[in-house]
Amino acid sequence: MSDTLFSANAPRPLAEILRPRRFSDIIGQEHLVGPEGALARMIAAKRLSSFILWGPPGVGKTTIARLMADEVGYNFIQLSAVSTGIADLRKALAEATRLRESASKPTVAFVDELHRFSRPVQDALLPAVEDGTIVLIGATTENPSFSLVSALLSRAKVYTLNRLAAADLHRVIARAEAHFERPLPLTDDARDALVAMADGDARYLLGLCEDIVATDHPSDLDTIALATLVQQRAPLYDKGQEEHFNLLSCFHKSLRGSDPDAALYWAARMIAGGEDPSVVFRRLCCAASEDVGMADPQALVQVMTAWQAFERVGLPEARLFLAQAINYVATAPKSNASYRAFDKASALAKSTGSIAPPKRILNAPTKLMKELGYHDGYRYDHDHPDAFAGQSFFPDELGGHDHPVLYEPNERGFERDVKKRLEFWNRRRKQAPEAKD
């Protein structure tokens, strides 16, 4: 049985099959592996120093470490911090010592998930790094400033790896297609959607490619068919509760349509039918935010206060609190601008993935983060007139000051005043130094 399970002929994941074999084959990370990159310069000099690769999953950390060792002719030992303890580490260091003495060449000790090493295990690495027994290459998905001991950070430079860009991921797909000797059965839009699903992770993308090829689909998949294929569908509501949801829908639409009489009627129908009043209040909360929103921010406060009073007093008197909350929401001015704004934000977040925030608006509690430019250029709003510095908080890739507009207030109720505030700040924002550059 073991021969079958662990046969050398067992299939390997596509990500392993297509792992680059040469340093020049690495996709992405041009700032490090390009001709002028720090890692490329190490290879050109045929001498490696200890460093840590910090970046998200599936961007090439393991591949870079292995190929750099190969390119300069170093021995290579790979460890996983998830499964390596002090005893295992000492064996690896002893092997590195033996290789140095017998082969007269250095050893790269690559430690995946380095942040998972406990502090004592990290400390145990220091002497071997210090005396040259190993060149440490660590890989971590977590901020080294918080997850690694300062002594180790002082002996190993940190290089930041970026999530792979869409163009990089399209190159990954092209390699997969070359391996399969046929294109993936995808429309152009579905191909873009596949790249978006990967969110910068080449390993995950190659897994999706395997799933698509395994289906042997006879025609090109569109975006909807692709989503159905690679993602589990959300469960449907129990049809036995259809009336429950029908009445809730009638209630909510009556609130949205500013018809307090109809809203009261449908609420009374539900309560008479034995519905839990908290279900009605939950829908009231949704309407107070989704349909009233910033046109009357007090609507949500009124509903929550009525709900609290309802629970403390109880029926039959508490029905008055429910009625008051229903009338308030139904007669309040309406705006779904906040609701629509978050829908736009969600779509933007989904389409852009894990774009890094501007370093200027990130705190820099550690020396390393300061060296990397965190917080550099941040302007404290309270130091400026009207407590407004006009700085952009969007990622630079999304246009900075020219970012997509998500929240567009209406001319109804309190939101009319909010719109005036935004117009004032937008005028001031255009006068900010960065907007004039």
Side-chain angles (χ1 to χ4, degrees):
M1 180 178 178
S2 60
D3 290 340
T4 302
L5 287 175
F6 303 104
S7 169
N9 295 323
R12 294 184 297 156
L14 184 60
E16 182 61 31
I17 295 173
L18 297 184
R19 189 184 293 277
R21 300 291 181 249
R22 296 175 300 176
F23 192 76
S24 59
D25 292 336
I26 294 173
I27 293 176
Q29 315 308 333
E30 288 294 321
H31 63 296
L32 296 176
V33 306
E36 300 302 318
L39 302 184
R41 291 199 300 269
M42 280 193 209
I43 291 177
K46 295 293 181 182
R47 184 177 182 277
L48 304 185
S49 57
S50 295
F51 60 89
I52 295 162
L53 298 172
W54 172 25
V59 296
K61 295 187 287 294
T62 302
T63 297
I64 288 173
R66 184 179 293 278
L67 293 181
M68 288 189 71
D70 289 344
E71 293 274 346
V72 299
Y74 284 24
N75 301 308
F76 186 83
I77 296 175
Q78 182 168 346
L79 303 170
S80 173
V82 176
S83 56
T84 301
I86 285 283
D88 300 310
L89 180 60
R90 285 174 178 163
K91 289 179 183 178
L93 296 180
E95 176 65 10
T97 300
R98 185 190 68 78
L99 290 171
R100 181 174 63 169
E101 294 173 350
S102 62
S104 299
K105 63 179 181 179
T107 294
V108 165
F110 173 68
V111 183
D112 197 16
E113 304 288 341
L114 181 60
H115 59 276
R116 293 182 179 271
F117 266 159
S118 64
R119 298 183 72 88
V121 177
Q122 290 185 39
D123 288 337
L125 283 169
L126 296 175
V129 174
E130 193 75 33
D131 65 15
T133 299
I134 61 168
V135 173
L136 173 66
I137 301 181
T140 179
T141 55
E142 296 190 4
N143 190 328
S145 297
F146 305 127
S147 58
L148 303 183
V149 297
S150 57
L152 193 57
L153 279 175
S154 69
R155 291 164 174 80
K157 188 168 179 59
V158 176
Y159 296 111
T160 304
L161 273 64
N162 302 320
R163 59 190 291 274
L164 296 182
D168 298 326
L169 295 175
H170 279 292
R171 291 174 60 195
V172 172
I173 293 176
R175 287 190 181 177
E177 291 175 325
H179 170 74
F180 292 121
E181 298 182 339
R182 60 189 173 105
L184 295 179
L186 299 171
T187 64
D188 290 341
D189 288 344
R191 184 177 291 259
D192 291 337
L194 183 68
V195 167
M197 290 176 186
D199 193 18
D201 186 332
R203 183 168 53 242
Y204 182 67
L205 175 61
L206 289 172
L208 294 177
C209 290
E210 280 189 292
D211 292 342
I212 293 168
V213 170
T215 63
D216 198 23
H217 205 272
S219 60
D220 286 352
L221 299 162
D222 61 16
T223 303
I224 296 174
L226 173 65
T228 302
L229 175 66
V230 301
Q231 295 181 344
Q232 185 178 0
R233 294 181 63 185
L236 299 174
Y237 281 124
D238 181 359
K239 291 185 178 179
Q241 299 185 38
E242 182 178 354
E243 187 68 9
H244 161 82
F245 291 107
N246 283 344
L247 294 188
L248 272 178
S249 178
C250 294
F251 175 60
H252 193 147
K253 288 180 172 65
S254 301
L255 294 169
R256 180 182 296 146
S258 301
D259 189 337
D261 296 334
L264 288 167
Y265 168 74
W266 292 116
R269 279 273 302 268
M270 287 187 281
I271 297 299
E275 184 65 86
D276 184 345
S278 64
V279 172
V280 181
F281 271 111
R282 279 197 293 271
R283 187 54 63 102
L284 264 173
C285 284
C286 293
S289 185
E290 175 185 344
D291 298 299
V292 177
M294 291 292 288
D296 187 350
Q298 274 293 317
L300 187 57
V301 177
Q302 290 288 328
V303 172
M304 293 303 298
T305 302
W307 195 352
Q308 186 179 50
F310 188 100
E311 292 179 337
R312 290 190 176 185
V313 175
L315 290 171
E317 293 88 347
R319 71 189 190 283
L320 302 176
F321 312 139
L322 176 60
Q324 181 176 336
I326 290 171
N327 287 332
Y328 194 103
V329 173
T331 58
K334 303 297 189 296
S335 171
N336 68 345
S338 293
Y339 171 76
R340 291 173 58 198
F342 200 79
D343 274 355
K344 293 178 187 177
S346 298
L348 184 62
K350 185 176 181 180
S351 65
T352 56
S354 306
I355 294 178
K359 289 184 178 179
R360 63 181 174 272
I361 62 171
L362 300 177
N363 291 332
T366 70
K367 180 180 178 183
L368 169 65
M369 296 170 78
K370 291 177 182 176
E371 292 174 351
L372 290 174
Y374 284 51
H375 207 65
D376 186 20
Y378 174 68
R379 297 196 298 274
Y380 186 58
D381 287 272
H382 293 282
D383 289 340
H384 296 265
D386 299 312
F388 183 74
Q391 193 154 35
S392 171
F393 301 98
F394 260 82
D396 295 334
E397 292 90 336
L398 295 183
H401 278 307
D402 297 321
H403 63 79
V405 176
L406 304 180
Y407 176 50
E408 301 180 77
N410 293 297
E411 287 280 359
R412 293 189 289 276
F414 178 72
E415 207 161 38
R416 184 182 298 112
D417 295 330
V418 175
K419 186 173 184 178
K420 292 178 182 177
R421 294 179 192 174
L422 284 177
E423 290 171 349
F424 170 77
W425 285 326
N426 286 334
R427 288 194 300 270
R428 290 287 306 276
R429 193 173 280 112
K430 291 178 181 178
Q431 300 168 4
E434 63 195 70
K436 297 176 182 179
D437 293 340

